[in-house]
Amino acid sequence: MGEINLARVDDRLIHGQVMTKWSRGLNTNAIFVVDNPTAKDPFMKEVYIMSTASSGMTIKVFSTDEVVEYWNKTKFENYRAILLFKNIDTVNEVVEKGLPITRLNIGGIAKTKEAKFVIPSVGLKPSDAEILKSLASKGIEVFFQTVPDTKAVTLQDALKNF
Amino acid sequence: MKKKFLLIITHGNFGKELLKSVEMIMGEQEDAAALGLNLGDDVDVLRADVERIIAENEKADKDTIVLVDLLGGSPSNVGLYALKNHDIKVITGVNMLMLIEFFSSREFEELEDLVEKMINSGVEGIKKFQK
């Protein structure tokens, strides 16, 4: 049976921070991107796969329904995976559909007008803060951190801004 | 021979400063630009900037060579994604000698040869010295 080492929200999906920092140290052997637009974009999939070829990790790109089905059918085989999401809505969707996420790292969300910075790489909208509260109430540990070497902010502290 | 445009895409101001440093050696250069991605920036905005520059080059009948810093990083993802719709060249691992080679040779080398020369120069500049 496989396991989910970490779920991360990062609107850049696979990039330097993920490959050089998060994937090391957690004994990770796979990165699963969960994003409906990317799953429908063969060229973007190709870019991710050719960019990570020398990493020794397995890279897969799923739609939300595909990743839930893959978990239900295979329990992720023998993969110790990092799950990457572009936004918090998508995490909520797969949690509601039964994916057993226990730790959720919010690592990168470009700031929009109504958002507030929680850490320099994350702008959080009030609506996203509400979703995170609801995820936390289901027992998911939510924390904000760009890379493992930087300071982590708990959801409780982040919500003080709202 | 077609004119050749150099587009550098990096994390932070690395590319912009690299271009400035090379211009310090070689003088100001035409047909060169650098874009940087900073914490909190939207990658889609960067992607749109890259698209716009490449499209302008195509309109002006110029070839574009894209140099990015780290294979697998966001600037590299953006550069490689531009291959979907554009006939461009992308080189990873940008360094000073690649730029110097580009500016020195772009007027008399064909595109393919220029790219090879840039990669060779970039690698050839790395030497070890010790006591």
Side-chain angles (χ1 to χ4, degrees):
Chain A
M1 181 171 155
E3 61 183 305
I4 301 170
N5 272 347
L6 181 76
R8 171 173 167 97
V9 174
D10 188 332
D11 57 17
R12 299 179 188 184
L13 294 174
I14 298 181
H15 65 122
Q17 289 168 4
V18 175
M19 295 309 292
T20 62
K21 288 290 182 180
W22 288 104
S23 64
R24 297 183 190 168
L26 291 168
N27 198 20
T28 300
N29 62 7
I31 292 178
F32 296 166
V33 171
V34 183
D35 184 57
N36 291 339
T38 309
K40 277 189 236 145
D41 187 340
F43 196 85
M44 195 64 221
K45 276 194 207 182
E46 189 61 33
V47 166
Y48 284 139
I49 289 165
M50 67 185 169
S51 302
T52 51
S54 59
S55 69
M57 259 180 288
T58 301
I59 310 291
K60 291 177 186 281
V61 180
F62 295 104
S63 69
T64 47
D65 287 334
E66 284 163 357
V67 79
V68 171
E69 191 188 332
Y70 184 56
W71 172 259
N72 289 339
K73 281 195 176 149
T74 70
K75 298 288 179 276
F76 291 170
E77 305 179 58
N78 289 317
Y79 292 120
R80 298 177 301 275
I82 292 178
L83 263 49
L84 282 179
F85 302 86
K86 230 176 206 173
N87 53 57
I88 292 168
D89 282 334
T90 315
V91 179
N92 195 44
E93 184 188 336
V94 296
V95 167
E96 282 181 350
K97 288 178 175 168
L99 215 60
I101 289 171
T102 54
R103 283 180 83 219
L104 179 62
N105 163 237
I106 312 296
I109 303 176
K111 193 182 174 302
T112 52
K113 220 170 136 196
E114 69 271 38
K116 286 177 183 164
F117 277 119
V118 176
I119 51 175
S121 62
V122 174
L124 193 66
K125 294 186 290 188
S127 58
D128 278 345
E130 287 306 314
I131 300 174
L132 290 178
K133 261 193 238 174
S134 127
L135 288 170
S137 73
K138 292 173 183 162
I140 296 174
E141 181 203 342
V142 178
F143 64 106
F144 299 80
Q145 195 174 27
T146 310
V147 289
D149 302 339
T150 59
K151 191 174 158 267
V153 172
T154 62
L155 179 60
Q156 205 181 2
D157 282 343
L159 291 175
K160 285 178 189 158
N161 295 320
F162 287 87
Chain B
M1 193 178 294
K2 267 171 107 171
K3 279 197 164 179
K4 299 172 190 78
F5 190 104
L6 189 75
L7 175 60
I8 306 166
I9 319 171
T10 66
H11 291 84
N13 292 325
F14 171 41
K16 291 178 185 171
E17 294 298 328
L18 185 62
L19 184 55
K20 276 194 216 162
S21 301
V22 168
E23 286 182 327
M24 196 164 118
I25 298 168
M26 305 190 72
E28 210 172 303
Q29 298 293 325
E30 284 181 354
D31 288 330
L35 298 172
L37 186 68
N38 291 295
L39 279 182
D41 283 355
D42 186 340
V43 176
D44 289 332
V45 172
L46 178 66
R47 184 168 293 158
D49 287 341
V50 169
E51 276 291 319
R52 180 179 46 76
I53 291 171
I54 296 172
E56 280 169 9
N57 290 342
E58 286 171 345
K59 224 184 237 175
D61 199 32
K62 290 174 191 167
D63 283 319
T64 307
I65 296 177
V66 177
L67 292 179
V68 302
D69 50 5
L70 178 74
L71 176 64
S74 295
S76 146
N77 289 343
V78 168
L80 291 173
Y81 195 75
L83 284 165
K84 183 180 182 181
N85 296 319
H86 303 283
D87 189 11
I88 55 170
K89 304 288 181 190
V90 181
I91 308 174
T92 65
V94 59
N95 65 30
M96 205 170 201
L97 275 166
M98 285 183 188
L99 269 67
I100 292 173
E101 186 64 68
F102 174 84
F103 293 127
S104 311
S105 303
R106 66 169 158 182
E107 272 156 37
F108 52 87
E109 291 288 356
E110 293 296 341
L111 184 64
E112 299 284 342
D113 298 331
L114 179 60
V115 168
E116 287 311 313
K117 275 187 105 168
M118 288 167 71
I119 294 171
N120 287 338
S121 296
V123 174
E124 282 301 308
I126 300 170
K127 301 273 187 243
K128 182 176 80 176
F129 296 90
Q130 59 190 25
K131 207 167 179 182

